[in-house]
Amino acid sequence: MQDATTLKAYRAQLRDALDNDFQRQALDKFAVAYRASRANAFAGIDAPELIAEIAAAKDVAIDQLEELFAEFKRHAEAAGTKVHLAATAHEANEIIARIAKENGVKTIVKSKSMTAEETHLNDHLEGQGFEVTETDLGEWIIQLRHEGPTHMVMPAIHLSRYQVADLFSEVTNQKQEVDIQKLVKVARRELRPKFCQADMGISGANFAIAATGTIGIITNEGNGRLTTTLPRVHVALAGIDKLMPSLHDALRIIRCLPKNATGQAITSYVTWVTGAVPCEVGPEGKKVKHVVFLDNGRMAMAKDPEFKQVLRCIRCGACANVCPIYRLVGGHKYGHVYIGAIGLVATYFFHGREKAKNLVQNCLNCGACKAVCAAGIDLPTLIKEVHARIQDEEGHPAYSTAVGQVLKNRTLFHTMLKSARLLQKPITGGTPYLRHLPMFLFKDQEFRALPAIADEAFRDRWEKIKPRVTDAKLKVALFSGCVQDFIYPEQMEAAVTVMASKKGVAMEFPKGQSCCGLPLLMMGEKKAGRELAAHNMNAIDAQDFDYIVTMCASCASYLKHGYKRLFADDPAMTYKASQFAHRVIDFSSFVHDVLGISEADFAGPDKKVTYHAPCHLCRGMGVTEAPRALLREAGLDYLPAEEEDVCCGFGGSFSVKFPELSKELLGKKLANLKATGATAMATDCPGCIMQIRGGFEQEKTPFEVRHVAEYLAERLKRK
């Protein structure tokens, strides 16, 4: 459980987690296997359609929580179940403790429940003298270790069989063999008497069906059914967001949840419980049955237009499975109680600003979590929104405020860049890199070589290279972003060369444009980001162009999707942002899909080239095939790399704030690229080029890293 109070202390915890070699290997191995398992599990199923149906059904339920609670309560109590609604975590714990006392309970068994983790139920009950035993194998292991779960579905994935064998040896006072099947038998032997002796069973609930007053539980171990059937008292604790109108809604989720969580077709057990079932030792021969619904901020969240979608979450844990950061540091340092991307958001609402303020900064904005979410939650956007809200509540750091003031003032920003070009000469050593960095300004950045600012910006070259078109069929505005304008102008020139090879493309470079504003989103400077977005939309009048083409994947995704979100509360600006976004297209898609460039346009010798898929292109823009097709059509021998679409670790300001994580992600990327046997790499993002090229340069590996446009331009047939 992450408990650092400052970012500095949090980074120290992250460095400790990076030293846990077994955890990193285990999470890496699972993450790689998960991709294939999930794909196989969803084979023959339209996953996007199923996810859209789940999201729509959950949204309907979220808007009716009060009515659904009343309906559930009516049906459940008619069947002999007592229903409670707890406003806070403490109240939920008190209700359950009171039920235990009223029924003379001494021993309690529990099946897996993230809601009970949220309320810290075990601590509360043990503090009142009850003996509480977790019966899910993973939960029992971490209970014995006095830890929280490191994953919502696989709570002990961070532990080796050797650690578990040592733990079980200590618990049983007998040396246990390091054999997984034998360790499972030890757990079964130790836990079975607990079920038989328990006075109360506490479970969670994956579903609460309003139409019948039924709770549904899906598990992979038999402990769930033993917990709900053997003890004379059964209490189910569930978030009020688990309410849904009908069984059909739950069955739809069951089709998706196991596949998305672990790549299973279905879990081993699906259990439905309705009413107080017969129980020989219970009062009047029936089991004592209670359902406790937890609010703890959920009802307020349901009324928040931005964050109500969080309540769609079905607790599959897939956002952690695909998160590059989770793979590095594990759940104990990437969540408070809830783990992964959903945990970064939920922590703010369920456990407060102090617990969330460091976590929400530790996000690459790579979009992997959104792409895999079983409920279609826009997790990256929500994480950044939480960050912005916290800064609005606590005050903005001086450095991010200063950056915001600079970036939204184009004249000031560009003047500073041009001045830096002159001032950098003593530290470049005549190379394209900053060779002699003042390390107090660039602490922990030695894992990559940083590029120098170009001698001449693209905007200053434009009039000299601008193609003159007399018979224009398409009018195109070029959006460079700050990196390709001032650091890599040769990438823009290459793109112009490629687009000019097709007749009738009239290009303009509106000089009033500035940074796209994505860095401000990453820093939580939403107000400055809105001003900068408005500035860019004024600088490039969308009505004057057929397309707005950008060579930067990050810019493309943010211009297309981010601007509309920034002005969601302003109908006039929303319309303007929508018109702008409609014309935004990435370079590879424009050249491949619009201009129809083909193999006949290129010539050149064979060359082995691998590819890195930028996060904001493959997930943000949904573009996967165009750049690879262009490489092949240009006559290049494209060699796929392992995990091409996993983040390189740049993330803009992320790599400055969390260099230790950026370094590790970069190391993985470089290793995968080298393993292809190629000595050159193409990509569509200047930020990724900065990261990967800088990494190869720092380790002195001769490996060419260039934009797709540069490879195309040099292989064009000269006319």
Side-chain angles (χ1 to χ4, degrees):
M1 184 182 293
Q2 188 280 134
D3 57 2
T5 56
T6 66
L7 188 62
K8 182 178 180 180
Y10 180 45
R11 282 187 58 193
Q13 291 185 355
L14 294 175
R15 286 192 290 270
D16 288 342
L18 288 174
D19 290 336
N20 187 336
D21 291 335
F22 174 80
Q23 175 177 267
R24 288 179 58 180
Q25 291 169 8
L27 296 179
D28 254 352
K29 185 177 179 180
F30 173 74
V32 172
Y34 169 77
R35 282 173 165 244
S37 298
R38 182 181 185 272
N40 291 335
F42 276 110
I45 296 173
D46 188 338
E49 181 181 359
L50 178 59
I51 289 168
E53 290 176 1
I54 291 171
K58 291 287 283 184
D59 285 345
V60 169
I62 290 164
D63 289 336
Q64 301 174 353
L65 287 179
E66 291 180 2
E67 295 85 349
L68 291 174
F69 172 75
E71 184 181 0
F72 181 94
K73 182 178 174 71
R74 183 172 69 254
H75 289 296
E77 293 191 338
T81 298
K82 294 182 181 178
V83 180
H84 312 260
L85 177 59
T88 66
H90 179 73
E91 184 180 350
N93 292 343
E94 283 290 296
I95 290 170
I96 295 171
R98 184 174 69 248
I99 294 168
K101 291 173 183 175
E102 289 172 352
N103 288 277
V105 168
K106 293 182 179 179
T107 59
I108 300 170
V109 288
K110 280 180 74 261
S111 65
K112 195 171 183 302
S113 168
M114 283 305 301
T115 310
E117 297 284 354
E118 176 185 336
T119 69
H120 303 297
L121 177 60
N122 287 8
D123 292 340
H124 186 89
L125 294 175
E126 289 170 348
Q128 298 202 20
F130 298 103
E131 179 189 314
V132 183
T133 303
E134 293 284 356
T135 61
D136 173 270
L137 177 57
E139 291 284 346
W140 185 54
I141 289 169
I142 63 172
Q143 182 187 32
L144 294 174
R145 288 173 58 90
H146 307 289
E147 294 178 345
T150 193
H151 190 284
M152 288 196 288
V153 176
M154 300 164 287
I157 191 175
H158 60 299
L159 298 174
S160 72
R161 63 184 184 274
Y162 299 97
Q163 290 171 290
V164 174
D166 288 344
L167 177 68
F168 283 7
S169 297
E170 182 181 338
V171 169
T172 61
N173 293 315
Q174 183 179 346
K175 181 67 176 176
Q176 302 297 339
E177 293 182 47
V178 184
D179 178 278
I180 292 176
Q181 294 304 318
K182 290 181 179 179
L183 291 173
V184 171
K185 288 181 180 179
V186 170
R188 184 179 293 119
R189 185 182 68 236
E190 294 295 317
L191 289 173
R192 280 300 165 94
K194 300 289 185 181
F195 289 114
C196 298
Q197 297 161 6
D199 302 307
M200 174 188 278
I202 299 175
S203 72
N206 295 95
F207 320 101
I209 310 302
T212 57
T214 300
I215 64 165
I217 305 169
I218 59 177
T219 60
N220 275 323
E221 299 174 27
N223 68 301
R225 288 185 175 176
L226 292 171
T227 297
T228 57
T229 55
L230 288 180
R232 57 188 168 84
V233 181
H234 172 213
V235 178
L237 173 63
I240 197 167
D241 53 302
K242 292 296 182 283
L243 282 162
M244 46 192 51
S246 68
L247 181 63
H248 174 73
D249 299 302
L251 294 177
R252 183 190 289 117
I253 292 175
I254 290 173
R255 284 190 69 206
C256 184
L257 196 158
K259 297 176 179 67
N260 220 48
T262 56
Q264 293 174 265
I266 193 168
T267 52
S268 301
Y269 301 92
V270 178
T271 304
W272 305 100
V273 183
T274 306
V277 298
C279 177
E280 190 170 321
V281 296
E284 301 178 3
K286 289 189 175 182
K287 184 185 288 289
V288 176
K289 175 74 181 301
H290 294 259
V291 176
V292 180
F293 285 105
L294 176 66
D295 180 352
N296 202 30
R298 288 167 172 81
M299 297 301 288
M301 196 186 298
K303 294 177 173 62
D304 187 316
E306 186 88 40
F307 285 96
K308 64 189 296 184
Q309 62 180 295
V310 173
L311 299 178
R312 296 178 192 165
C313 179
I314 63 173
R315 304 292 189 264
C316 67
C319 56
N321 297 349
V322 298
C323 176
I325 299 170
Y326 175 82
R327 286 172 65 172
L328 289 178
V329 301
H332 289 156
K333 303 308 173 195
Y334 205 54
H336 179 65
V337 169
Y338 291 104
I339 306 303
I342 192 66
L344 270 59
V345 179
T347 297
Y348 173 73
F349 288 95
F350 297 159
H351 296 104
R353 185 172 64 217
E354 281 299 309
K355 299 291 192 300
K357 67 181 183 181
N358 297 317
L359 288 171
V360 293
Q361 297 179 67
N362 192 7
C363 172
L364 283 158
N365 198 38
C366 73
C369 51
K370 178 182 177 181
V372 80
C373 179
I377 304 171
D378 189 355
L379 289 161
T381 295
L382 297 183
I383 291 168
K384 297 309 171 190
E385 180 62 28
V386 169
H387 185 202
R389 286 193 183 189
I390 290 174
Q391 293 197 159
D392 288 344
E393 293 163 1
E394 288 196 335
H396 291 236
Y399 76 89
S400 67
T401 301
V403 172
Q405 293 300 314
V406 170
L407 288 186
K408 73 178 186 179
N409 185 327
R410 183 187 68 83
T411 302
L412 174 60
F413 178 42
H414 291 177
T415 299
M416 291 177 67
L417 286 172
K418 290 179 180 180
S419 299
R421 181 185 66 206
L422 300 174
L423 295 172
Q424 72 184 356
K425 289 183 184 286
I427 58 174
T428 61
T431 72
Y433 298 98
L434 304 176
R435 291 295 188 194
H436 311 292
L437 292 173
M439 293 316 294
F440 70 94
L441 292 176
F442 297 93
K443 191 175 181 183
D444 300 324
Q445 295 296 313
E446 68 281 353
F447 64 93
R448 62 184 173 189
L450 295 175
I453 296 171
D455 291 337
E456 186 179 25
F458 177 75
R459 64 182 51 243
D460 297 327
R461 304 181 188 189
W462 173 242
E463 289 304 323
K464 292 177 285 187
I465 68 168
K466 177 181 177 180
R468 310 302 171 183
V469 178
T470 55
D471 184 20
K473 295 181 177 62
L474 291 175
K475 293 187 66 178
V476 173
L478 301 177
F479 187 91
S480 66
C482 35
V483 176
Q484 285 172 322
D485 193 353
F486 289 92
I487 297 177
Y488 301 131
E490 67 276 8
Q491 296 173 12
M492 289 293 295
E493 286 198 35
V496 170
T497 300
V498 174
M499 289 188 283
S501 70
K502 291 295 185 180
K503 292 181 179 179
V505 181
M507 289 174 267
E508 293 292 341
F509 181 76
K511 294 289 187 72
Q513 65 181 276
S514 190
C515 173
C516 68
L518 182 58
L520 296 179
L521 174 77
M522 294 294 289
M523 290 188 286
E525 295 296 330
K526 193 173 180 180
K527 182 175 181 295
R530 282 170 62 106
E531 294 179 39
L532 182 53
H535 168 89
N536 281 329
M537 289 190 293
N538 288 331
I540 303 176
D541 189 342
Q543 302 297 327
D544 293 339
F545 300 98
D546 299 303
Y547 293 96
I548 301 170
V549 179
T550 177
M551 275 52 71
C552 174
S554 299
C555 291
S557 178
Y558 192 58
L559 296 175
K560 198 165 190 70
H561 305 299
Y563 279 18
K564 290 184 288 186
R565 289 192 295 263
L566 284 172
F567 298 104
D569 60 347
D570 185 332
M573 289 299 289
T574 296
Y575 176 78
K576 187 172 184 176
S578 296
Q579 292 295 304
F580 187 87
H582 180 68
R583 289 163 172 80
V584 171
I585 188 170
D586 67 282
F587 168 79
S588 286
S589 294
F590 180 72
V591 171
H592 185 265
D593 301 339
V594 179
L595 297 186
I597 205 162
S598 68
E599 186 176 348
D601 297 303
F602 299 101
D606 287 343
K607 184 173 186 176
K608 296 183 186 301
V609 176
T610 187
Y611 181 71
H612 163 66
C615 302
H616 294 116
L617 188 69
C618 64
R619 288 181 287 274
M621 297 290 285
V623 175
T624 56
E625 292 307 312
R628 295 173 174 89
L630 286 171
L631 294 176
R632 287 189 286 260
E633 287 162 3
L636 294 162
D637 185 6
Y638 161 54
L639 303 176
E642 290 293 321
E643 300 194 296
E644 276 187 352
D645 61 351
V646 173
C647 187
C648 67
F650 180 58
S653 58
F654 173 89
S655 62
V656 177
K657 191 173 287 186
F658 296 100
E660 51 280 298
L661 302 183
S662 181
K663 175 184 177 181
E664 295 298 327
L665 293 171
L666 175 59
K668 286 185 180 182
K669 179 60 65 175
L670 300 185
N672 285 337
L673 294 172
K674 287 185 285 189
T676 64
T679 55
M681 186 211 83
T683 190
D684 292 79
C685 181
C688 298
I689 289 173
M690 183 186 300
Q691 176 87 339
I692 296 169
R693 183 186 287 176
F696 279 129
E697 175 68 20
Q698 187 66 20
E699 67 176 33
K700 304 303 180 187
T701 297
F703 208 104
E704 183 179 82
V705 178
R706 303 175 77 188
H707 195 282
V708 168
E710 294 177 277
Y711 285 112
L712 300 185
E714 74 176 9
R715 299 174 75 84
L716 276 173
K717 288 180 180 177
R718 302 305 170 189
K719 298 177 181 179

